[in-house]
Amino acid sequence: MHHTMTIAGLERHLPLCPISDTLQIGAFVIFGDPELTVAAAAALNERAPEHDVLISAESKGIPLVHEMARQEGNARYLLARKSAKLYMKDVFTVKVNSITTAKEQTLC
């Protein structure tokens, strides 16, 4: 089974993934879909308020925030990592809950 969705003018079929006995979500994965990445970045850039820096959670948002920054003339972007890395300075953290992760996470 899947959920059909139009994203930035492109139709995609999202596989349904159960997250509980009574709820399923359409799994949106942008990895490996450059056509969608470019179109979604353009649509988001049209709607985004004025900004100095873009930020995305590490992993799934990387291609999108990278393309958004590229389209904006190589704007700066940051990634919220799941753990602090040795090269990171002045790290701050925030606790978050996601519907696709069973436990609380920390983003740095």
Side-chain angles (χ1 to χ4, degrees), residues 37-92:
T37 302
V38 170
L44 286 169
N45 277 333
E46 287 177 12
R47 298 182 71 143
E50 188 173 329
H51 56 274
D52 295 321
V53 177
L54 297 164
I55 186 167
S56 176
E58 182 181 34
S59 196
K60 292 180 184 172
I62 294 173
L64 186 58
V65 76
H66 176 86
E67 181 61 18
M68 288 176 72
R70 190 194 67 76
Q71 289 181 17
E72 289 287 308
N74 291 316
R76 183 178 160 105
Y77 69 91
L78 302 172
L79 300 176
R81 309 279 317 246
K82 295 176 185 171
S83 63
K85 306 300 180 193
L86 294 175
Y87 60 82
M88 297 168 70
K89 304 294 181 208
D90 301 320
V91 176
F92 66 92

Side-chain angles (χ1 to χ4, degrees), residues 13-28:
H13 303 284
L14 310 181
L16 292 177
C17 301
I19 60 171
S20 74
D21 290 339
T22 60
L23 184 62
Q24 297 183 75
I25 61 171
F28 176 73

Side-chain angles (χ1 to χ4, degrees), residues 2-15 28-29 33 35-37 39-40:
H2 67 270
H3 173 73
T4 301
M5 186 173 193
T6 301
I7 306 160
L10 302 172
E11 186 174 289
R12 294 297 185 263
H13 303 284
L14 310 181
F28 176 73
V29 180
D33 194 339
E35 178 186 35
L36 181 59
T37 302

Side-chain angles (χ1 to χ4, degrees), residues 80-83 92-96 104-108:
R81 309 279 317 246
K82 295 176 185 171
S83 63
F92 66 92
T93 62
V94 63
K95 302 282 185 191
V96 297
E104 183 178 74
Q105 294 179 295
T106 300
L107 295 179
C108 306

